[in-house]
Every structure is written in structure tokens, then in C-alpha cells.
Amino acid sequence: MKQSIEDIQVDNKRILMRVDFNVPIHDGEITDDRRIKMALPSIKSVINRGGNLTLLSHLGRPSGNGYEEQFSLKPVAKRLSELIGQEVVCSDEDVTSPIILRENVRFNKGEKSGDETFAKLLASDADIYCNDAFGTAHRNHASMVAVPALMEGKPRVAGLLLAKELQYLDQTISNAERPFVAVLGGAKVSDKMGAIDNLLGKVDTILIGGAMAYTFLVAAGTEVGSSLVERDRVEEAKEMLSAAQKSTTELFLPTDHVCVKQIVQGTPVQVVTGAIPNGWMGVDIGLETVAKYTHLLKLAKTIVWNGPMGVFEIEPFDVGTRQVAEQIASATENNAVSIVGGGDSAAAVSIFGLDGKMSHISTGGGASLQMLEGKGFLSVILLDDAV
Ligand code: ADP
Ligand code: MG
């Protein structure tokens, strides 16, 4: 357990807080302010107790050669001050204001390279460091790693959002109540191989869906037509399947598929059990697979889900993902703990209107996947342990 911002005294101190304000902005307008709202608990915790804040964030992908208007955090400062009813100064100058939002840290090349000189500049007047940017936790950037490394001896704590992510993705998973079921899907098997490897022997069941299933099916000797396959990963998939057989984890592949000739709405569909004919590709798990997976999910006490079961963006290829999502929601209602990771999976949950029905929806796609791979983060290791 890491020490949280709530555990320490902040009055009259300046807290350097790394947040994730990487929000979509079009023509200077924020189109989705959820990331700003999610940082409010940590921000309010500091200002309500008389602390001063210097906020750090990145936004988009500027070149790293200085200020670029389209990546400026000024619209974020404006929105944040509306949300907290207090002035937020967006500036890199030496200003003395209770709440400062520094400009996009990625305007400086030193951010991404983890540069110590840039970190010194950021840390110069800070008494306390707080990391509340889970989405960037797996990146060893200056504001994430070099800054807390420099601030050794001063309090370095987790923000409330980061603490919640760690609670679910670390503590809940390592003390999971059983049966513990992992549902893995999505586009690429290469993205999820590390997670499968780590989860073998830890979870009771792995349910595979999405495009990544087809690389496994090829490895298992099944014809998959023109479904998406990563040929250079077939050998690895074979090894993974035999490792699964020797482990205590039962791994399931889809047995039937919703197939099309091309991925467009309104195209003719056939449901295929077993081998997929030439020219056809699987775009969703079939009803038999849905029935099997939802049955196993019904029994689960802990569920992690990363990656949709099909091309959920296009109807009717959303059915498998929807059924699985609904079953996870209903298991959660019956006291299972459910953790959703991955940007597209979180988007699917939102489209299905199930946001409030999962125990935890992770805000970090890459970071949550790295947690499932069993790897820690330098940015988190550097924070103080709770006493
Ligand atoms: P997440 O962001 O949740 O980790 P991924 O990015 O790995 O998920 O994968 C999501 C994408 O995978 C979606 O855009 C979805 O359309 C695609 N996908 C899922 N199943 C298939 C399939 N059978 N064929 C092609 N694409 C698929
Ligand atoms: Mg994705």
C-alpha cells in the first residue's frame, strides 16, 4: 500500500501533482471533461486543507520544441477553475497563485526523455510530490519518475485516483476470491501475450475472444478463413496453449463464430461452428461460445476483462461483447468483483450503459495491461509506502 495524499498534512505546503488532463480538444473546446473531473477528489483534498497546488499534465503529442497553441492546457485551466470555483493560473512563469497549472509538460523534450534538468525545473519549489496520473504510470517520463526521484526525502504520495487503480489492479487481483476468471479479447494477440503468460497459474479460467482468438485457433490447428491472424505469433501461441494445459488455469477458445466476407454494416452473415471457410472472417464469438463464457462468468467471484469479444463498433457484431459485458455486470450485482481495462473495452461498457455496474473501470489502457502482465511501475515504486 502506498501513502495517499489524504494521509499527509498539506496546509501551507506546495504540492506538485502530476495528473492526466489529456482530454480531447476541438477548436479550443473540451469535448469530454471526464479526466478533469476524475482528478477533482485529489485536487479538492489539497485545496480544502489549505495546500497550494502546482498541477502537471501532458496533452496530445506536441513536437517537444516549445509552445504550440493547439496543445496548450489553457482550455483545461479554464474548465478546471469553473469546476472548483477558484482561479487556476495556466503559466510556466514564476507566479505565486494558490493553484497553478503548468503548460503541457511535453512542450519540453526533456519530459519524454526523463531528463533530470527538466525535472529540477519542475520540482524547484515543491514540498510534496503527488502522482495521480495512472494512465501514464507505465511511462518513465520526467514528471513521473525523475521528479519524484529528485524529491527523495520529501513526501511522495499517491493521488486518490492512482490509489484506487492500484487497489483494484494490484491488491484485489493478488488476493482474488475464486473462481477468478480473466476475459481477454481485442485486436492483437501480441498485445495480450504477456498478460496471458502472467495469468496462467494465477486465474482459474481464461476466456479468449476477439481477433486474437484466431491466432490461437491457428495454433490449435483450426481453419480460420481470412480472419485476422498474426502469423509471426502462431508458434508463441502454440507454446502458450501447451503451457496452459500444464497449468492449473483452464483456457477456452471460441467454438463458433459470427462470420462475414468484409467488415461493413449490412453485409451477409453466417454463424460457423468449427472451421471457418475460405474468404470468411470471424468478427464476433457465436452463441454457443457466448453461452459457455457467460455460464463460467456466472460462477466467478473475481473477473478481469480486457479486450472486446468482437467488432463491437458495428451492429450486429456487438452481440458477443454485449452479452459478456452484461453477464459481468450481473455477476458484479451478485457480489463478484469486476475490473475492466483497455480503452475499447471501457468504451464498449459505456455504449452498453453498464458504466456504474462494474466494480472498477480502469482509466489506463496500457498501464492496466502492464499490471495484468505482473509488472510494476518505477513511477509507483518511488512513492512512499503507507506506514
Ligand atoms: P482494448 O482497447 O479494450 O484493450 P483492443 O484495442 O485490444 O481492446 O481491441 C479493440 C479492437 O479490436 C476493436 O476496435 C474491435 O473492433 C477489434 N476486434 C475485436 N474482435 C475483432 C475481430 N474478430 N476481428 C477484427 N477486429 C476485432
Ligand atoms: Mg484499444
Side-chain angles (χ1 to χ4, degrees):
M1 271 268 278
K2 292 293 172 182
Q3 197 157 46
S4 113
I5 186 71
E6 283 194 324
D7 301 334
I8 60 164
Q9 299 252 324
V10 295
D11 52 308
N12 290 316
K13 300 269 177 22
R14 183 155 289 272
I15 292 82
L16 185 64
M17 186 182 285
R18 175 57 156 103
V19 292
D20 179 1
F21 284 163
N22 186 25
V23 293
I25 297 183
H26 294 291
D27 300 326
E29 293 293 324
I30 296 166
T31 53
D32 180 351
D33 64 0
R34 274 180 296 180
R35 286 196 168 144
I36 305 174
K37 286 185 173 148
M38 284 191 297
L40 290 180
S42 291
I43 291 171
K44 285 183 177 162
S45 161
V46 169
I47 54 183
N48 291 345
R49 292 182 292 144
N52 301 308
L53 267 175
T54 301
L55 295 161
L56 303 176
S57 178
H58 70 284
L59 176 71
R61 297 170 186 274
S63 68
N65 296 314
Y67 183 81
E68 288 172 67
E69 182 78 28
Q70 69 175 122
F71 297 111
S72 169
L73 282 167
K74 286 197 185 78
V76 175
K78 182 166 165 273
R79 184 77 192 108
L80 177 60
S81 65
E82 286 162 10
L83 288 167
I84 58 178
Q86 206 169 325
E87 193 195 8
V88 176
V89 176
C90 185
S91 173
D92 284 348
E93 305 302 316
D94 266 330
V95 282
T96 45
S97 175
I99 309 177
I100 300 167
L101 171 59
R102 282 189 65 103
E103 262 300 359
N104 194 340
V105 283
R106 289 192 186 165
F107 284 164
N108 191 310
K109 265 199 175 57
E111 169 63 4
K112 280 195 172 185
S113 65
D115 180 56
E116 206 169 313
T117 311
F118 180 51
K120 266 187 195 141
L121 180 79
L122 296 176
S124 58
D125 66 342
D127 305 305
I128 294 165
Y129 175 80
C130 176
N131 177 348
D132 208 18
F134 179 73
T136 321
H138 57 314
R139 308 220 182 269
N140 294 340
H141 294 173
S143 63
M144 300 297 298
V145 170
V147 169
L150 270 175
M151 286 178 64
E152 197 179 350
K154 293 179 179 171
R156 298 169 295 179
V157 299
L160 300 172
L161 193 60
L162 180 80
K164 187 167 173 246
E165 293 276 9
L166 295 176
Q167 180 205 322
Y168 278 100
L169 289 156
D170 190 15
Q171 273 127 265
T172 305
I173 289 180
S174 38
N175 306 299
E177 222 188 300
R178 290 171 183 282
F180 184 1
V181 179
V183 185
L184 297 173
K188 286 162 81 186
V189 76
S190 46
D191 285 349
K192 313 276 157 97
M193 216 54 123
I196 298 172
D197 190 35
N198 179 51
L199 293 171
L200 283 181
K202 291 204 177 97
V203 301
D204 299 296
T205 310
I206 297 179
L207 307 175
I208 304 258
M212 65 182 270
Y214 300 106
T215 302
F216 277 106
L217 286 166
V218 168
T222 305
E223 301 284 337
V224 300
S226 49
S227 305
L228 278 185
V229 172
E230 286 174 77
R231 295 280 161 198
D232 57 339
R233 295 297 178 135
V234 171
E235 271 314 305
E236 209 179 322
K238 265 186 204 165
E239 284 161 25
M240 206 64 89
L241 290 177
S242 75
Q245 237 153 28
K246 287 176 207 132
S247 83
T248 51
T249 303
E250 225 183 331
L251 185 147
F252 292 87
L253 298 175
T255 51
D256 63 340
H257 316 273
V258 175
C259 297
V260 297
K261 284 192 165 163
Q262 50 185 159
I263 305 183
V264 285
Q265 198 153 28
T267 192
V269 168
Q270 66 164 322
V271 180
V272 174
T273 303
I276 298 174
N278 273 339
W280 292 80
M281 64 175 107
V283 287
D284 195 11
I285 56 175
L287 285 183
E288 179 185 282
T289 307
V290 167
K292 178 87 201 169
Y293 286 8
T294 51
H295 170 71
L296 290 161
L297 285 166
K298 203 179 228 163
L299 309 171
K301 281 279 164 263
T302 308
I303 299 164
V304 293
W305 176 28
N306 187 303
M309 298 290 99
V311 184
F312 73 96
E313 299 95 332
I314 303 175
E315 277 182 40
F317 318 138
D318 61 332
V319 172
T321 306
R322 187 186 289 268
Q323 301 268 330
V324 162
E326 276 171 1
Q327 186 56 59
I328 295 174
S330 117
T332 312
E333 221 155 65
N334 292 313
N335 293 322
V337 176
S338 56
I339 302 167
V340 182
D344 291 290
S345 312
V349 167
S350 187
I351 291 169
F352 304 150
L354 298 171
D355 286 293
K357 304 218 161 169
M358 306 295 178
S359 311
H360 181 66
I361 299 175
S362 178
T363 54
S368 70
L369 194 56
Q370 194 167 318
M371 295 289 283
L372 291 187
E373 289 166 4
K375 295 184 198 151
F377 307 122
L378 201 49
S379 65
V380 171
I381 291 169
L382 284 165
L383 304 177
D384 301 338
D385 289 314
V387 278

